[in-house]
Amino acid sequence: MRKQIVSSLITLIGLGGLHAQSVYFADGYHGGVFGHYPKWQTAFMMDKLKEYPSWRINLELEPETFDSVKVWVPDTYREFQQFLAKEDGRLIEFTNPTYSQPYCYNISGESLIRQFSYGMNLLRVHFPTLSFHTYAVEEPCFTSALPQILRLFGFRYAVLKNPDTCYGGYMVAYGDDLVNWIGPDNTQMLTIPRYSVEKLEDNSTWQTIAWNNSSKYLNACKEGGIAYPIGMCYQDAGWKNGPWLGAPEKSSGTYTLWTDYLNKVTDKFPAKDWRVSQEDVLVSLMWGSQVLQKLSQEIRVTEQKLIQTEKIATLQRFYDRKAWDNKALDRAWRNLLMSQHHDCWIVPYNNMGSTGKTWAENVRLYTTESNNICDQLIAPQQRDDSTIQIYNTAGINRKELVHCKLNTPWTSIPFVVKNISGKTVPYQKISKNEIVFMADVPAMGYTSFSLKEGKVSKSKEIQTKRLANNHLLVENDLYRIEIDPEKGGTITSLYSKKEKKEWIDNQAGYAFNELRGNFYEEGGFLSSSSTPANVSVEVDGALITTVSIKGKIGRHPFTQYLTLKKGDPRIDCRLIISWQGNTRIGERKETSKMQESRKTYYDDRYKLHLLFPVLPGHKQVYKNAPFDVCESKLKNTFFNRWDSIKNNVILNWVDLYDKQNDQAFCLFTDHTTSYLHGEDYPLGLTVQYSGGGLWGRDYAIKEQTEINYSFLPHRGMWNEAHISFENARRGEPLVALYATSDKPSASLLSIPDKDLLLSTAYYDGDNLIVRLYNEGTSGMKSFILPFIPASVEEINLENEKIKDFSYRKDKNRQILSFDIPQFGIKTFRIKQ
C-alpha cells in the first residue's frame, strides 16, 4: 500500500536559524516482493550509497524479498550480502524485521511474537551478521505491548513516528526529543515519539509535518525546544529518488540510521516517562466492510487453530512419541503470517505482487492451506473409532460441553458414551452425525470416552416454552431469556439465575440484540425491531438449546441463532444476513476527495450494528489488546474525520463494568473490528458498511454476511470474572479426535491460576517450550509438571537463556514458581 504523492525529488527547504548539524532525517525503503520491489532495487540502493557516501538507508522489507532477489539477480544478491557484511550498522539498518509488516494491534500476541521470530530468522539466513537494535516502521504498526516483545528480542530502541503513511492511523502526539515508552507490564524502552509539536499536515490524510523536514516542521521543533529534531520518510521500494531530501550536502538535515541517531542523543537530555495506552494508537480501517470482515474472520480462525494444533501435537509427541513435523508447522505459520500483512487489511482489493490475485483472495488461500496442514498434523494415523480422546489445550482443568462428529457406523446404531471409569455420560444429538456431551478434561491434556452399542434413556427436559404474550422463554441452569417475535426477535429479558438479576435496560430506547443502521438509499435508519420475526426452536435439550430468529431489516432477510449451554456462562450467537443486492449502508454516499479529512465511512453509528443496552448507570469500558487490557478513557467512540481518529477497535472482547452495582457485561467477537459506545449510546458491534472507502474503492456487499459473537453477564471487573480465560475457552474449545493413544487420560502441564494463560507449548528439538502470559496481579505464579525435567531455563524470544530455574517436588509433581508482572510473558525451555 502506499501514498500517491510525489513522483519527483523534494524541493530543498531552508533551515532558517537552525544549525544544519542539529537536524536529522531518517530515510529508507519500505515494501517487498509481495507489495512492490523491482528487480533493480537492490543494485540501485548500493549504487546510490556509492554516489552519496553520507546517505543512510533504514530498511523495512519483507524478508521473503531476498528469496526472490537471490533468484532474480544472483550476482547482485551476493554483492549485497558482502556489502551488508561489511557495512551493516554503518550505512544500512533493518528496522522492522517482522515477516509481513503487520499492524500489530489487530492480531494475537502470540502471532506478533512469531512475526518477529520467523522474520528475523529468515533475514539472518540471507545476512548472518544482521543485528536488530531499533524498531521503526512506515505504517502505524504499533501496539501497547511492543516494549516487552522488542526487549525480549534484543531491541534497544523504538520509534513511534510514521509521518509519510498515516492513512490507517498515527500515534498520539506526545513529548519532546525522547520518551521512555512504558508498556503494560512496566517494561521501558527509549523511544522517539511523534513530537507534541508534530502536527498533522494540512490538506492531507496521509502525512504529519515531519515527512520532509519542512521549515514549518523545523521551526515548530525549534519553538518547542526540541534540540535535535528528526524527520522521516520510508520511500516505497521502486521509487527512483535516491536521497529523499536531495544530495546530503544540500539537504535539510543529516541523513542517519535510527540507531546511530539514538546513540547520539540518548545522553543529551532526560527522557520523559510515557505509559502508552492502547488508545494512544489512533488507527482506523474499513471496519464493517465485507471484504475486511471476512479476511479478519479467516485469520482469526487460523490463529486459534494453529495454536491449538501446536499444543495437541505437543501432547501427541510427549505421550504417543508421534514425530514432530517442523516443516509442516513452519509452512502453516508462514501462511498465517503472510495473511496478517498490513496490505491485506488496508488494500484488500489490490493485487498482491505477481500472484495474479488480490490480497483478500490470497488470505483465503493462505488460511485454507494452514487449516488443512493443522488437520493433517494431529489426525490419528491408526485410529480407534470406538474411543474418542477429548483434548484441552488450556492450562486449567475444564468441565464443559464438547462437540463430537461421529463416523458413519455410529450414526446408524443405538449407542452410549462412557467415560474412563465406565460411567455412562448423557449426550445430546445436534444433527445426524454430531453429538454433544459434558467432558471433564485435565489441564493441557486429554481424556478418553468410549462408544458402546446400547440404548440410552432420553431426557425430556424442555428448555423453551411460549408465554401468554407470545414471547418465547428460553432457559437453562444459568439464565432465563425472553424473546419478543413482534419486535424482530429482540431480547426483552436476560435474567441471571445465579445473580438473581436482570441485565437489560428496556428504557434505553434501543432493543437488546437489535440490528440498526442507516440505509441511505432505502429510506434512512432501519431496525430489525420494526418488523415481526419468526422465532422457533432449533435444538431443545438438557445440554444445549438453540433458538433461531428469522426476521428482516428493511427488505433484507436475516437469521440469528442464540445458543445456551449447560453450565456455560457465555451465550453464543450467530448472525446470517441474506442481502438483496448491494445495498448502501453508512452516513451517506462518500464523495470526499483523498486529501479531505471529513469521511463518511468513519462514523459507526450509521453503519449496520448490533446493540446491547444493559442496565443504566456509569459504566467503565475495558477492552483487550495483544498482551494487554486497556481501560478506556473515551467519552464515546464516534468520529468522522481523519484528524480526529479514536481507537474504537475490538480485538477479542469489550467489557462494560458498573462499579456502583458491581454488574458487568462482556461482548466477544470472532474478528477484529470496531465497537460502539457512548455516554448516551449503548454498547454496539459493527456488522456492515457498504459504500465508498479508501482511495475511492467501492467496498461493496457481494455475498451473505455471517458473523459469530457472544455475550457474558457477570459480577466483578474483567479480571475478577476471568474474562481472558473465557476468551481462551472460546478460542480454544475442547477438541474431539478418535483415539491415538492407549493411555486413557493425561496432563502435561497445569496452572493453578486462571489468570495465568498458556500462550503456547511446542517442541524445539527435544526441548519443550512453554510460554505463559499473566493477566492477574503481579507476583509469584507457578505451573506444575507431572514429570522430572533434566533442567528448566527461562529464555528470551531469541531462545537465549536468561537464567536457570529450580523446582520443588510435591508428591509426584514438580512445581516451578516464578515472579511475573501483570501483562508479563515468560518463556521456559524444559529439557526432558
Side-chain angles (χ1 to χ4, degrees):
M1 188 293 290
R2 250 321 229 188
K3 40 198 180 289
Q4 301 123 2
I5 30 178
V6 188
S7 59
S8 61
L9 288 174
I10 301 299
T11 303
L12 299 180
I13 302 165
L15 297 180
L18 293 173
H19 189 277
Q21 292 307 307
S22 66
V23 177
Y24 296 87
F25 192 80
D27 201 352
Y29 287 100
H30 157 92
V33 65
F34 295 104
H36 36 75
Y37 193 93
K39 295 179 181 179
W40 50 261
Q41 179 71 45
T42 311
F44 175 82
M45 290 188 293
M46 289 188 293
D47 289 344
K48 288 296 178 181
L49 283 170
K50 293 171 185 175
E51 183 179 355
Y52 302 106
S54 58
W55 189 37
R56 300 292 181 267
I57 302 177
N58 297 277
L59 290 181
E60 182 190 29
L61 300 174
E62 299 153 5
E64 279 196 30
T65 298
F66 297 100
D67 292 345
S68 296
V69 172
K70 185 177 181 179
V71 174
W72 291 339
V73 284
D75 291 342
T76 303
Y77 170 80
R78 286 189 292 272
E79 185 182 356
F80 191 61
Q81 277 185 315
Q82 294 165 3
F83 181 86
L84 272 182
K86 180 182 177 182
E87 304 293 352
D88 178 35
R90 194 173 71 87
L91 302 179
I92 293 177
E93 176 178 17
F94 281 80
T95 66
N96 180 9
T98 55
Y99 204 86
S100 69
Q101 305 162 7
Y103 278 129
C104 300
Y105 66 85
N106 58 337
I107 60 178
S108 72
E110 190 60 41
S111 286
L112 191 50
I113 288 173
R114 305 308 176 94
Q115 283 282 353
F116 280 95
S117 178
Y118 277 91
M120 291 165 69
N121 287 342
L122 181 52
L123 282 173
R124 283 171 175 156
V125 167
H126 293 287
F127 315 113
T129 62
L130 273 189
S131 55
F132 306 98
H133 303 291
T134 302
Y135 178 76
V137 292
E138 184 257 358
E139 300 251 5
C141 300
F142 306 120
T143 195
S144 56
L146 270 175
Q148 178 178 206
I149 294 172
L150 292 172
R151 285 286 190 198
L152 288 169
F153 274 111
F155 284 75
R156 297 163 56 197
Y157 306 125
V159 178
L160 287 176
K161 295 177 182 288
N162 64 305
D164 54 324
T165 307
C166 301
Y167 298 106
Y170 41 83
M171 288 296 296
V172 162
Y174 181 90
D176 310 317
D177 290 305
L178 290 173
V179 297
N180 278 322
W181 175 3
I182 303 176
D185 70 315
N186 289 323
T187 295
Q188 297 188 20
M189 175 155 280
L190 198 63
T191 298
I192 306 296
R194 175 188 157 208
Y195 304 142
S196 57
V197 301
E198 188 181 327
K199 307 300 183 184
L200 300 177
E201 185 74 273
D202 295 331
N203 301 313
S204 173
T205 55
W206 62 89
Q207 293 163 308
T208 77
I209 60 175
W211 71 283
N212 65 349
N213 271 13
S214 67
S215 57
K216 177 170 60 174
Y217 172 57
L218 296 177
N219 286 331
C221 290
K222 182 178 181 181
E223 292 172 7
I226 297 174
Y228 301 91
I230 184 168
M232 173 187 183
C233 177
Y234 279 11
Q235 305 174 53
D236 269 2
W239 290 6
K240 296 185 176 181
N241 300 312
W244 182 242
L245 302 183
E249 64 274 11
K250 298 179 181 179
S251 68
S252 52
T254 300
Y255 290 109
T256 183
L257 301 180
W258 276 117
T259 299
D260 285 349
Y261 171 80
L262 280 151
N263 285 338
K264 288 174 185 175
V265 304
T266 184
D267 297 326
K268 303 294 185 185
F269 31 72
K272 184 178 182 180
D273 287 346
W274 182 21
R275 185 172 292 279
V276 174
S277 162
Q278 190 72 353
E279 288 187 339
D280 294 323
V281 186
L282 304 176
V283 288
S284 183
L285 294 172
M286 292 300 302
W287 306 125
S289 65
Q290 197 166 73
V291 63
L292 185 61
Q293 181 182 83
K294 287 187 175 297
L295 70 86
S296 181
Q297 289 172 322
E298 290 158 358
I299 291 166
R300 177 68 54 80
V301 166
T302 303
E303 273 188 324
Q304 295 170 338
K305 191 179 186 74
L306 186 45
I307 289 296
Q308 275 206 291
T309 296
E310 272 191 342
K311 294 178 181 178
I312 292 172
T314 296
L315 288 166
Q316 292 177 343
R317 159 75 188 270
F318 187 87
Y319 287 108
D320 303 344
R321 297 296 183 262
K322 188 175 180 180
W324 185 263
D325 194 339
N326 257 330
K327 287 186 178 179
L329 277 168
D330 287 347
R331 181 67 181 172
W333 272 110
R334 181 263 177 190
N335 288 339
L336 174 61
L337 300 181
M338 286 304 303
S339 74
Q340 294 167 340
H341 196 294
H342 67 271
D343 277 347
C344 298
W345 295 75
I346 199 165
V347 286
Y349 289 132
N350 282 9
N351 284 333
M352 179 183 177
S354 59
T355 64
K357 298 183 183 298
T358 67
W359 287 96
E361 289 169 338
N362 276 291
V363 167
R364 182 160 295 183
L365 293 174
Y366 284 142
T367 55
T368 298
E369 184 181 358
S370 286
N371 295 342
N372 290 337
I373 291 171
C374 289
D375 290 338
Q376 294 164 10
L377 277 169
I378 60 175
Q381 294 167 330
Q382 292 181 336
R383 71 186 190 191
D384 175 3
D385 286 0
S386 66
T387 304
I388 300 169
Q389 288 178 331
I390 309 301
Y391 286 86
N392 169 20
T393 55
I396 304 289
N397 296 346
R398 291 160 69 180
K399 184 178 182 180
E400 58 195 68
L401 291 182
V402 61
H403 288 252
C404 179
K405 293 286 181 71
L406 299 173
N407 277 338
T408 303
W410 293 105
T411 63
S412 57
I413 59 173
F415 66 91
V416 294
V417 179
K418 294 181 178 290
N419 62 21
I420 57 175
S421 300
K423 184 179 179 181
T424 299
V425 177
Y427 69 86
Q428 182 181 337
K429 272 200 170 185
I430 302 300
S431 63
K432 182 179 179 181
N433 66 338
E434 184 178 3
I435 63 171
V436 296
F437 57 88
M438 191 68 70
D440 194 344
V441 192
M444 186 52 186
Y446 66 86
T447 195
S448 301
F449 293 82
S450 59
L451 302 181
K452 306 282 187 182
E453 287 193 50
K455 292 184 178 180
V456 61
S457 58
K458 293 185 177 180
S459 169
K460 294 298 290 182
E461 295 182 55
I462 303 300
Q463 307 297 308
T464 60
K465 66 178 178 180
R466 192 72 61 174
L467 302 178
N469 60 3
N470 199 36
H471 289 193
L472 184 70
L473 179 69
V474 188
E475 63 180 312
N476 68 354
D477 55 325
L478 297 179
Y479 299 110
R480 186 166 64 241
I481 297 175
E482 281 190 40
I483 302 172
D484 186 352
E486 295 303 311
K487 292 186 178 179
T490 55
I491 298 173
T492 60
S493 176
L494 172 56
Y495 182 81
S496 169
K497 294 181 179 180
K498 179 181 178 182
E499 308 296 346
K500 297 182 171 56
K501 293 208 65 159
E502 174 62 51
W503 245 259
I504 293 178
D505 178 11
N506 284 312
Q507 307 302 315
Y510 304 95
F512 190 96
N513 215 27
E514 168 192 2
L515 280 165
R516 186 175 191 272
N518 187 38
F519 293 65
Y520 56 82
E521 293 181 344
E522 298 182 18
F525 273 96
L526 300 177
S527 169
S528 61
S529 64
S530 301
T531 306
N534 179 22
V535 181
S536 61
V537 180
E538 294 283 317
V539 178
D540 198 354
L543 299 179
I544 188 168
T545 301
T546 299
V547 173
S548 72
I549 301 158
K550 298 182 184 295
K552 284 189 174 183
I553 180 161
R555 60 191 177 94
H556 308 282
F558 71 85
T559 303
Q560 287 172 315
Y561 295 96
L562 184 146
T563 298
L564 294 179
K565 299 176 183 178
K566 183 177 181 179
D568 196 330
R570 196 184 68 238
I571 299 164
D572 293 334
C573 301
R574 181 182 173 206
L575 170 66
I576 301 171
I577 306 175
S578 300
W579 298 104
Q580 305 301 293
N582 179 26
T583 188
R584 298 308 193 176
I585 311 169
E587 183 182 1
R588 55 180 167 80
K589 185 177 180 180
E590 176 57 71
T591 58
S592 69
K593 296 179 180 179
M594 188 175 69
Q595 70 270 23
E596 293 176 326
S597 288
R598 176 73 163 86
K599 305 293 184 187
T600 63
Y601 49 80
Y602 280 146
D603 198 331
D604 292 341
R605 289 173 294 184
Y606 295 92
K607 300 174 184 177
L608 184 64
H609 53 282
L610 287 156
L611 287 171
F612 306 94
V614 289
L615 286 175
H618 174 73
K619 298 177 184 68
Q620 187 57 55
V621 178
Y622 296 89
K623 50 193 173 184
N624 82 315
F627 295 134
D628 190 14
V629 174
C630 170
E631 179 181 354
S632 178
K633 302 299 183 183
L634 299 176
K635 290 184 178 179
N636 61 64
T637 61
F638 311 125
F639 62 94
N640 57 21
R641 295 179 59 87
W642 172 79
D643 54 13
S644 306
I645 290 174
K646 300 177 184 178
N647 188 304
N648 61 352
V649 177
I650 174 173
L651 178 64
N652 299 101
W653 56 263
V654 168
D655 194 54
L656 303 187
Y657 177 59
D658 178 356
K659 184 176 181 180
Q660 183 176 352
N661 297 303
D662 191 30
Q663 197 165 352
F665 179 86
C666 190
L667 174 67
F668 301 87
T669 174
D670 69 348
H671 65 292
T672 304
T673 183
S674 60
Y675 73 99
L676 301 84
H677 190 257
E679 292 174 317
D680 301 314
Y681 207 83
L683 178 65
L685 179 67
T686 302
V687 173
Q688 197 75 77
Y689 170 79
S690 175
L694 287 163
W695 300 285
R697 284 282 193 179
D698 182 9
Y699 282 77
I701 292 172
K702 298 181 179 179
E703 54 188 305
Q704 76 176 19
T705 290
E706 182 174 344
I707 67 169
N708 296 281
Y709 59 99
S710 305
F711 48 88
L712 192 161
H714 64 90
R715 292 281 197 181
M717 288 179 58
W718 63 272
N719 50 337
E720 297 168 317
H722 306 296
I723 291 300
S724 289
F725 177 71
E726 291 298 330
N727 180 64
R729 275 205 320 121
R730 187 174 187 270
E732 298 184 31
L734 299 180
V735 175
L737 296 173
Y738 281 101
T740 62
S741 172
D742 294 332
K743 192 176 178 66
S745 185
S747 173
L748 181 56
L749 176 151
S750 61
I751 304 170
D753 188 343
K754 274 189 177 181
D755 292 322
L756 186 62
L757 302 174
L758 180 59
S759 184
T760 193
Y762 60 90
Y763 270 92
D764 179 14
D766 291 329
N767 299 322
L768 175 63
I769 307 297
V770 171
R771 183 151 43 248
L772 303 172
Y773 164 55
N774 177 38
E775 280 199 352
T777 56
S778 300
M780 296 301 296
K781 306 287 180 179
S782 63
F783 66 93
I784 300 166
L785 299 173
F787 62 91
I788 300 174
S791 66
V792 179
E793 301 168 341
E794 182 184 351
I795 59 174
N796 64 19
L797 296 177
E798 289 246 70
N799 294 320
E800 299 166 338
K801 185 171 78 170
I802 297 175
K803 61 182 177 181
D804 290 308
F805 264 90
S806 59
Y807 44 87
R808 62 184 175 86
K809 187 174 181 180
D810 177 28
K811 298 180 180 178
N812 294 322
R813 311 180 306 168
Q814 317 303 316
I815 301 177
L816 190 144
S817 299
F818 54 94
D819 190 49
I820 186 171
Q822 186 176 35
F823 306 121
I825 54 177
K826 294 277 187 183
T827 307
F828 299 95
R829 179 163 52 216
I830 302 167
K831 298 183 178 181
Q832 296 169 218

